[in-house]
Amino acid sequence: MRAIDIKNGKGPIESMFMNDIALPKIDHAKALVKVKAFGLNRMDLMQREGLYPLPPQAPATMGVEFSGTIEDIASEGETGFKKGDAVFGLAYGGAYAEYIAVSTHMLMHKPENLTHEQCAGIPETWITATQALFLIGEFEPGKSVLWHAGASAVSISGQQLSKGNDASRVFATARSDDKVDFCVKELGATAAYNTETTNWSQEVLKATDGKGVDIIVDFIGPATFAGNLECIARDGRIVNLASLSGMKLTPEMAQPDFGNFFRKRLRIEGSGLRSRDETYQGKLRDSLHDHALPKFVDGSFKILIEKVFPWEQIQDAHRLMESNKTKGKIICTIS
């Protein structure tokens, strides 16, 4: 089969090329899916550069989310799936290819009113947002939530999940006024703040009458650490999913007041999705099915796509993702 490969195993955008590789084999509860579309994620950029440690069960081929049709299914596959079914799902890797072998525990049936391109943009971002909000953040109706990197795919999903499940207030941050406006006008955030031009943590405190926000989902790391401690509410939860501002605090960054840990009884927890075992990921799939799938079908939740590329233009797709100018998913289609 054809697949996107990387010369010498890692490198810049120009190192990606179309290659012929072996068709994946299925066993136990796996299905062989003919891929119609796959979504790009920031981890793909890191994996391409050799900076993302792969879980042992992941193939070398990039890509963790896809949609397509089942070509074959192993004997232990979940009941309810059969050859010919249109599905979408999450995998440990291998989606940048004509076929992918994936556990049926991580598949969902494609709704008829959604396209393959839309469905390929759901699994990674919406499951990550579901995990951060419900499993780690312990969200309950009436709590308030702040999503950093508000125009990123996961935060686009998270703001909708928060609002759709009766958060009292939903806040977001971004690094441009355009993205701030997008969070409020398109996603329905209560308020959003430009981290380059405002003291966003003070604005969150003002908007919550000094109480602070109950849950913060952060992808930035050191640059937002001090502000998070400042504007989190007592008994709050800070969920860290990435560290886009680097791995260490630097002198020019605001310095955190560690007394907030004790005064506010905080819990900060880091998490990743790809390293989780199949059982855990299956629970997240079920949670997504319960909390979001009906709202995709009735149109309440938006699957925002920035651009669709034919997969022969994978280099251009990676360039667009590296530009940090997107407000939605980048999807590639296979014809």
Side-chain angles (χ1 to χ4, degrees), residues 27-31 55 57 76-78 90-92 101-107 127 273-286:
D27 56 15
H28 303 299
K30 289 183 179 179
Q57 64 271 55
E76 299 174 27
E78 268 192 25
L90 186 68
Y92 288 108
V102 60
S103 169
T104 53
H105 302 315
M106 287 308 297
L107 290 178
I127 288 178
L273 182 57
R274 199 173 185 182
S275 59
R276 300 286 190 171
D277 63 32
E278 189 176 307
T279 300
Y280 183 93
Q281 291 197 354
K283 291 178 180 177
L284 289 174
R285 178 206 64 176
D286 295 343

Side-chain angles (χ1 to χ4, degrees), residues 165-208:
N165 286 277
D166 299 320
S168 60
R169 296 178 183 182
V170 181
F171 302 102
T173 67
R175 294 197 297 173
S176 72
D177 290 339
D178 175 53
K179 291 182 177 180
V180 164
D181 290 343
F182 167 77
C183 292
V184 175
K185 295 176 181 178
E186 294 294 326
L187 303 178
T190 307
Y193 309 105
N194 186 332
T195 57
E196 300 295 306
T197 59
T198 65
N199 186 332
W200 57 270
S201 57
Q202 283 297 310
E203 293 299 324
V204 170
L205 284 172
K206 290 178 185 176
T208 56

Side-chain angles (χ1 to χ4, degrees), residues 205-272:
L205 284 172
K206 290 178 185 176
T208 56
D209 299 320
K211 174 182 180 292
V213 70
D214 296 307
I215 301 167
I216 297 175
V217 183
D218 184 36
F219 310 85
I220 311 304
T224 50
F225 188 49
N228 288 344
L229 296 185
E230 185 175 26
C231 71
I232 191 73
R234 180 171 288 182
D235 294 316
R237 302 287 185 259
I238 300 174
V239 184
N240 187 269
L241 300 178
S243 191
L244 297 177
S245 63
M247 296 299 168
K248 296 181 180 180
L249 284 165
T250 57
E252 62 270 18
M253 294 176 180
Q255 298 304 301
D257 178 359
F258 284 89
N260 283 313
F261 277 109
F262 316 111
R263 290 192 295 268
K264 298 185 178 183
R265 302 190 296 262
L266 302 183
R267 189 179 78 191
I268 300 179
E269 184 170 343
S271 185

